[in-house]
Amino acid sequence: MMHNTDGQSEPVNLVSPAQQSYLDQFREQVSATGGTIEFVARSPEAVRDAVLARASSKRPILIAEPRYLSPDYFRPLRSEEGVLTHPHADDYRSAPVGVTEAFAAVARTGSVCVDIGADIAGYVSLLPRLHIVVVDAERLVFRPSDLFRLEQFARPTFHRDFVFISGPSATADMGPLVRGVHGPHELHIVVLC
Amino acid sequence: MPKRVTSPREVAAKESRAILRRAIRLALDTESAAVRHNTRSFNLNRYRATAALPDYDALKDEARRIKEHALVNRKALVQRLSESVTRNGGHFFFARDAQEAGQYIQGVCKRHCVRSLVKGKSMTSEEIHLNGALEHDGIRVVETDLAEFILQAADEQPSHIIAPAIHYSRERITALFRRKFQTDLPLDTGEDLTRFARERLRQDFLAADAGITGANLVSADCGSLLLVESEANIRLTCIAPPLHIALSGLEKIVPSRREFASFIELLAASATGQPLTSYTSVIRPPLAVPVVDFRGAGPATREFHLVIVDNGREALARDAQLKEALYCIRCSACLNSCANFQVLGGHGFGGATYSGGIGATWEAATTGQLKLARFSDLCTGCSRCVPQCPVRIDIPGLNVELRSRLNKSIPLSLTARAMHLLLGASPVENASAQQIFFAHYDRLARWGTLFAPLSNFFSKVPGARWFLEKSFGIDRRRHLAPFPRKTWVDISADEVTEKPDAPRGPGVLVLADVFTNYGAPERGKDALRCLRAAGVRVRLTKSLPDGRAALSQGMIDTARAQAETLSRYIAAENAAERPLLVVEPSVLAMILREYRKLLPAEAFVKLQNSTIDLVQFLARHFAEQGSDPRAVFNIRKFAPGPRVFYHAHCQQRAVSDPSITVEFLRRLGFEVTCSQVECCGMAGSFGYKKDFYDVSQAVSEELVEQWKAAESAKGPHTLLASGVSCIEQLQGATGRAVLHPVELLAKLL
């Protein structure tokens, strides 16, 4: 998958029309949940650039090591200034940005599935105000139930602990809808394609 | 005058009608505006979300099947779950009652020297009064769901099962926080309030020694929990403290983690009306991720306890009539689609823990006290919740059963005995004088009609309405329609038996339901005229009570006896199995829905197959004949013009598609605007009762608003409604004449 020449992160060559329609639906749903989304090439540098651009000047950036994506994708990022892979309690308290992978994405609901048993993803996807998720377009399914139908799902070790994340944390308990409660205030999804 | 209620807690346990009345007053006076706004927005969102679910009906069937199966196998599932949790390295405890559950959790906290703990929203913990027990041990308990945070500050019980502080407007939360927390921080917007709570609570999360959550589902095969939320407080509660205790009722157990798949989208759509809420976690505690030492207490290992609670559920599972309440997945669709709940919320229409139509069974089962189900009186049986329930629970049916048991728990009063004797009603079934009055409407109406106009004269005698209010609780502000001198059957004598010059078209049987027969004979006659004009050979039945009136009062035995009599009569009269046409929608729904539980299967199916709404029959008839209804019904004969505002009857919508009637009217040239409310608020006898008059009026306000909006947008509309009581309610609320669709059609002949 390539970038457009004009720099827009739009997918340009696609595997199949069905996948295109899933991707379109995914993009729409992510916006509906209050998240943001961009499509980048499957390259470690592209992941680094996307994360740094979204994080802007906010530091430190916490990173949870990927289990499903190749660790190479996060390698250039790890050597950047202000990027932490082994945070302490105080880093968790204050870090404004967390980066994790997702092992799947769901078109109909605009969700990403984060394995919170993998490394420190449970904290990194939860405590910082901005959560950036990297997911491969090939891991896009239509509905949540499609994941449960996978053969491997019967195995108890397969995604022992995971969460469907659909937008930033939100509440309607204080009157109007407010985004940003106990979890991230912003969710940014970087789709590799 | 009873003293004014200052806190919802005072009227949480609705042991009597008197407490219920006070709770209704409190809810209407101080909570109604916020509840109306919030429930109606949930309701609209749910309609959108479920319409967007590609396999909504199949998912409901699947969810129901899983729940039925799980409940049958509950013993084995509990055993299997206990093994799974232990295998995962967790601890399992089965608590027979609230006290055992509380003591176990207190013990765990003591062993861990827990000083402060954070809690995610858990209705089960409300049910077992866990906070009080822990606080008694000196533990600081922090509710972290923002709604529960509000309630903890206000010391109130939940008013909704997924949005426990739904009765709080933003303005009231601001006032509460100012008073409670003595702060000068800005608190004037939702953002301000959320920031304030978040900053306090973030400290509490990181300092907590333990976290307590509920669970939406628990899987027996591997001990996984399904946790659905939006605020991320549950995720934090599970991960930040080293000790996690999850608390859940035994009905939440499903065989395997794969079954979660059938509930995830269904629950989100039915609850908040979203494709999914922000976080749907599937976890198998204790979590593998190490504990981060936020507390500065040194390294800690994770520990997990799963407490499965019986607390009345086992007894409920063995209760053939009520057990389906255990399939409830706590989505709140039945609350948000309930017209009465929409104006009251759970402080009026609810108990100490559970609220709304489903809540009464839960409140009685988990407290072991039937009398605490008294708020089931607020279920009018309108049945709008029935198509909304993701596990297809017959919620009105549960409330009728509760009402019947409540009736039987109170000895018959002298007045009630006298009523039975006077009316010659059998069987003699325990009920209040008011209930007997409404249940035997047919008998009263027969006497009233027989002695009209004398009977009508009596109702105008000074003091008569006072007497009716005192003796039968019939609100004196309600208009009572006079009894006609002749009934529908009387004025249609020609139609009772087929005339030799009757049309040769298909033959039908028209049910002379008691409401139309005694309450609106001319409407009945209009219905027959329409049919004859359409070339349909008509035969009118005798007027027999169908059981609806009795059933709505919880008099199930009487209703069953009437259903059996009617069913036998129809079977004898209708050997040719002609369509059975019904004018009054509450009777139509009685036959098509409620008879399933009252009649033997064969008799029910026979009636179900032949019974149809009269206007819908007409629409079908013209479609089948391939003829144009405009040749029979000429809209130009209707001087007021083509604009109509139509309110379809609540129970009718549970059994048939109102759009058929609407499309038929459009075909004739009418411009139809439909009401978007769940119920008009009258709901049979409900709105006539003094205790509920104000609720009924509050419900009707939205309907009137919609009618006014239609008129101000497009000019005058003819008001149209299909039920006897809807028509009465709309006429009362608008001061305008309201027509039944057959009356409108008859004007086009």
Side-chain angles (χ1 to χ4, degrees), chain B residues 20-271:
Chain B
L20 182 60
R21 277 197 297 270
R22 294 170 69 208
I24 288 172
R25 198 64 263 153
L26 166 91
L28 288 177
D29 287 348
T30 60
E31 300 181 347
S32 190
V35 172
R36 284 181 207 209
H37 176 267
N38 294 328
T39 50
R40 284 172 188 163
S41 116
F42 272 142
N43 200 34
L44 270 178
N45 290 340
R46 190 200 59 256
Y47 277 117
R48 285 197 203 107
T50 53
L53 263 181
D55 49 357
Y56 178 47
D57 282 314
L59 279 176
K60 293 201 305 193
D61 290 335
E62 178 69 4
R64 168 86 184 198
R65 195 193 58 75
I66 293 170
K67 283 293 205 172
E68 280 180 358
H69 179 79
L71 197 68
V72 171
N73 296 300
R74 60 191 180 279
K75 294 249 161 70
L77 289 178
V78 168
Q79 180 58 36
R80 184 137 189 245
L81 174 62
S82 125
E83 289 158 15
S84 299
V85 170
T86 314
R87 195 169 56 239
N88 293 339
H91 305 264
F92 179 88
F93 182 71
F94 185 88
R96 277 170 303 181
D97 55 28
Q99 202 189 1
E100 266 193 16
Q103 281 171 351
Y104 178 82
I105 295 171
Q106 285 172 291
V108 173
C109 289
K110 262 196 196 122
R111 277 203 305 285
H112 283 260
C113 303
V114 171
R115 282 161 309 167
S116 83
L117 64 80
V118 282
K119 271 184 71 202
K121 184 175 94 68
S122 155
M123 294 306 284
T124 313
S125 83
E126 296 274 355
E127 170 194 320
I128 65 167
H129 308 294
L130 183 61
N131 290 12
L134 294 171
E135 280 162 355
H136 181 261
D137 288 350
I139 296 171
R140 185 164 166 267
V141 179
V142 181
E143 292 286 357
T144 64
D145 175 89
L146 293 190
E148 290 283 355
F149 180 77
I150 294 167
L151 295 185
Q152 195 174 30
D155 188 25
E156 293 179 14
Q157 75 275 19
S159 66
H160 190 275
I161 50 179
I162 67 161
I166 201 165
H167 58 289
Y168 264 90
S169 64
R170 206 274 303 149
E171 290 75 9
R172 281 188 68 212
I173 304 170
T174 300
L176 170 72
F177 282 13
R178 286 236 176 281
R179 195 170 66 239
K180 181 78 187 179
F181 300 112
Q182 303 286 319
T183 170
D184 295 327
L185 291 168
L187 293 175
D188 298 317
T189 64
E191 271 84 10
D192 289 344
L193 291 164
T194 304
R195 186 184 319 114
F196 174 79
R198 170 176 62 235
E199 281 164 14
R200 282 179 75 94
L201 289 170
R202 182 55 75 96
Q203 303 316 313
D204 292 324
F205 278 120
L206 301 186
D209 303 310
I212 296 183
T213 67
N216 292 86
L217 289 175
V218 184
S219 84
D221 68 334
C222 60
S224 284
L225 311 180
L226 177 73
L227 294 161
V228 178
E229 58 158 339
S230 279
E231 295 176 355
N233 64 309
I234 294 177
R235 289 185 64 195
L236 266 164
T237 303
C238 294
I239 199 172
L243 172 62
H244 176 195
I245 302 166
L247 179 67
S248 174
L250 66 86
E251 82 286 2
K252 301 281 186 70
I253 309 172
V254 294
S256 80
R257 189 169 74 147
R258 283 198 167 193
E259 267 112 14
F260 291 177
S262 307
F263 292 89
I264 288 178
E265 285 176 281
L266 188 61
L267 176 58
S270 304

Side-chain angles (χ1 to χ4, degrees), chain A residues 93 108 123 125 143 148 150 153 156 158-162 164 166 168-171 173-174 180-182 185, chain B residues 52-53 55 144 147 170 198 202 230-231 235 257-258 265 278-280 282-284 286 290 292 294 302:
Chain A
R93 282 179 196 274
R108 211 188 87 77
Y123 294 107
S125 64
R143 308 180 72 172
F148 289 79
L150 295 176
F153 208 85
F158 185 74
H159 303 311
R160 180 192 160 108
D161 304 307
F162 71 97
F164 292 91
S166 319
S169 62
T171 188
D173 286 340
M174 295 295 184
V181 193
H182 301 301
H185 296 213
Chain B
L53 263 181
D55 49 357
T144 64
R170 206 274 303 149
R198 170 176 62 235
R202 182 55 75 96
S230 279
E231 295 176 355
R235 289 185 64 195
R257 189 169 74 147
R258 283 198 167 193
E265 285 176 281
S278 299
Y279 304 110
T280 302
V282 178
I283 60 169
R284 194 176 314 158
V292 174
F294 292 115
R302 290 194 184 275

Side-chain angles (χ1 to χ4, degrees), chain B residues 416-475:
Chain B
R417 267 179 214 285
M419 292 277 296
H420 267 303
L421 216 66
L422 208 65
L423 291 167
S426 71
V428 175
E429 190 170 5
N430 271 34
S432 68
Q434 181 190 56
Q435 287 169 320
I436 295 165
F437 181 95
F438 283 116
H440 293 293
Y441 166 79
D442 62 301
R443 282 165 194 265
L444 281 169
R446 195 159 67 217
W447 287 97
T449 308
L450 215 56
F451 294 106
L454 193 65
S455 44
N456 293 323
F457 169 75
F458 269 125
S459 72
K460 291 193 178 62
V461 166
R465 292 307 301 265
W466 175 87
F467 170 77
L468 282 176
E469 191 171 285
K470 278 284 164 205
S471 314
F472 303 108
I474 295 161
D475 198 286

Side-chain angles (χ1 to χ4, degrees), chain B residues 403-411 429-431 554 556-557:
Chain B
R403 202 165 299 156
S404 159
R405 291 183 192 186
L406 281 162
N407 289 350
K408 291 189 164 76
S409 72
I410 302 163
E429 190 170 5
N430 271 34
I556 299 176
D557 299 342

